[in-house]
Amino acid sequence: MAEKHESKLIINKKEYEWPQRVITGTEIKVLANSPADWVVNEIVPGPGGDPEISNDQKVDLDQQSEPKGIKRFTTRKATTSPGAA
């Protein structure tokens, strides 16, 4: 019998529980009730940008995986490139 793995994560400053160790970008948006065309970023400590998580990209929620601790995400409207037609 597989061991149940309950993972915690924070999306837009609100804590959620997820019944698996891995979550995708699409699942993060669904959990946060964000529109499907929004973008997910993982908040990582330190300098540099917060990486964008694609819809089918998997994120390991284990607290021992990098970055260590509860994984944090934000969802936002997609932005267009300046000067794009």
Side-chain angles (χ1 to χ4, degrees), residues 1 3 5 9 13 29 40 45 47 49 53 57-58 66 83:
M1 188 172 190
E3 180 181 329
H5 188 91
L9 65 156
K13 300 181 181 178
K29 288 189 269 190
V40 176
I53 307 299
Q57 184 175 345
K58 295 178 180 177
E66 292 297 329

Side-chain angles (χ1 to χ4, degrees), residues 1-77:
M1 188 172 190
E3 180 181 329
K4 185 178 179 187
H5 188 91
E6 195 77 16
S7 300
K8 290 187 179 186
L9 65 156
I10 296 172
I11 310 169
N12 301 330
K13 300 181 181 178
K14 183 176 176 189
E15 189 172 298
Y16 295 88
E17 290 192 352
W18 186 247
Q20 300 169 21
R21 180 176 168 164
V22 175
I23 193 167
T24 66
T26 296
E27 291 167 333
I28 291 169
K29 288 189 269 190
V30 169
L31 201 56
N33 289 318
S34 295
D37 61 344
W38 279 27
V39 174
V40 176
N41 289 92
E42 182 173 6
I43 300 171
V44 294
D50 295 327
E52 192 172 299
I53 307 299
S54 64
N55 287 338
D56 58 351
Q57 184 175 345
K58 295 178 180 177
V59 178
D60 186 349
L61 297 175
D62 186 79
Q63 292 191 25
Q64 296 306 309
S65 69
E66 292 297 329
K68 293 191 185 299
I70 295 175
K71 306 305 180 262
R72 297 172 184 269
F73 304 91
T74 59
T75 61
R76 60 180 173 79
K77 286 183 182 180

